[in-house]
């Protein structure tokens, strides 16, 4: 009888440890998917000219830094500056007819409610029926998980 209780107790410990690992892994995967969803929402809402959805990718004090290969860096800090950025871009003004941001190979590290994502990007642009690579480079993002459990830049 004692041997059976020992085996049963051991089995319960293994099951409890497995369940705990599953729960922790599930939370980590959920956070990773949340970060990816924010990166993808950023790109798609920018492409589709959905300013309100794009702005929701940022915290109230979010910052966007644009570092072109030539010319000065541009920095947009806070919602009003970000709103100005999204509404004055060539795509918003109709100069560029269509574009598609492609987020490539994001590497994500998460610590608590803070995350970093390092991704490549490519931006394809269509103008007068011709498609070309308008820009490519890297996104280096810092994200925060809000009280609503949504990850934002």
């Amino acid at each position: 009888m004692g041997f059976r209780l020992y085996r049963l107790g051991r089995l319960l410990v293994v099951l409890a440890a497995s369940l705990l690992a599953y729960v922790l892994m599930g939370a980590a995967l959920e956070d990773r998917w949340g970060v990816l969803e924010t990166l993808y929402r950023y790109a798609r809402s920018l492409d589709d000219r959905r300013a309100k959805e794009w702005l929701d990718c940022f915290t109230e004090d979010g910052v966007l830094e644009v570092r072109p290969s030539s010319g000065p860096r541009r920095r947009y800090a806070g919602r009003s500056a970000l709103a100005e950025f999204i509404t004055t871009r060539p795509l918003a003004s109709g100069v560029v007819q269509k574009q598609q941001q492609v987020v490539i190979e994001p590497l994500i590290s998460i610590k608590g409610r803070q995350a970093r994502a390092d991704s490549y990007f490519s931006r394809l642009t269509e103008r007068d029926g011709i498609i070309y690579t308008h820009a490519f480079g890297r996104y280096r993002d810092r994200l925060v998980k809000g009280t609503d459990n949504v990850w934002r830049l």
Side-chain angles (χ1 to χ4, degrees), residues 120-145:
Y120 295 113
F121 77 88
S122 178
R123 182 169 60 222
L124 305 174
T125 303
E126 179 182 351
R127 189 180 295 166
D128 299 323
I130 299 170
I131 297 172
Y132 60 96
T133 301
H134 180 84
F136 61 91
R138 287 177 106 159
Y139 289 138
R140 290 185 176 97
D141 297 310
R142 291 186 216 165
L143 298 96
V144 176
K145 189 175 187 179

Side-chain angles (χ1 to χ4, degrees), residues 2-153:
F3 181 72
R4 286 186 185 176
L5 286 176
Y6 169 77
R7 285 184 64 198
L8 180 61
R10 195 167 155 202
L11 177 63
L12 288 174
V13 167
V14 168
L15 286 173
S18 297
L19 180 60
L20 179 61
Y22 178 77
V23 168
L24 293 175
M25 184 174 64
L29 288 175
E30 184 177 324
D31 282 337
R32 187 167 298 280
W33 278 113
V35 169
L36 284 171
E37 184 175 323
T38 298
L39 298 176
Y40 298 153
R41 274 190 309 118
Y42 170 93
R44 287 186 177 205
S45 59
L46 191 60
D47 293 343
D48 297 338
R49 305 174 189 165
R50 295 189 312 260
K52 185 176 179 185
E53 186 177 333
W54 183 81
L55 285 169
D56 191 49
C57 292
F58 292 89
T59 61
E60 288 297 322
D61 59 349
V63 175
L64 172 68
E65 282 191 17
V66 179
R67 301 176 183 183
S69 56
S70 62
R73 290 183 182 183
R74 295 183 308 271
R75 180 179 167 90
Y76 305 88
R79 285 287 172 110
S80 60
L82 292 166
E84 179 185 335
F85 169 82
I86 189 78
T87 56
T88 59
R89 299 185 68 246
L91 186 63
S93 65
V95 173
V96 173
Q97 296 160 356
K98 186 177 181 182
Q99 76 175 19
Q100 183 175 12
Q101 310 278 329
V102 182
V103 178
I104 307 163
E105 298 177 344
L107 296 175
I108 300 167
S109 63
I110 300 171
K111 292 184 181 169
R113 299 184 78 79
Q114 308 272 331
R116 288 183 181 262
D118 188 359
S119 314
Y120 295 113
F121 77 88
S122 178
R123 182 169 60 222
L124 305 174
T125 303
E126 179 182 351
R127 189 180 295 166
D128 299 323
I130 299 170
I131 297 172
Y132 60 96
T133 301
H134 180 84
F136 61 91
R138 287 177 106 159
Y139 289 138
R140 290 185 176 97
D141 297 310
R142 291 186 216 165
L143 298 96
V144 176
K145 189 175 187 179
T147 56
D148 59 356
N149 289 324
V150 174
W151 288 92
R152 290 188 174 83
L153 301 162

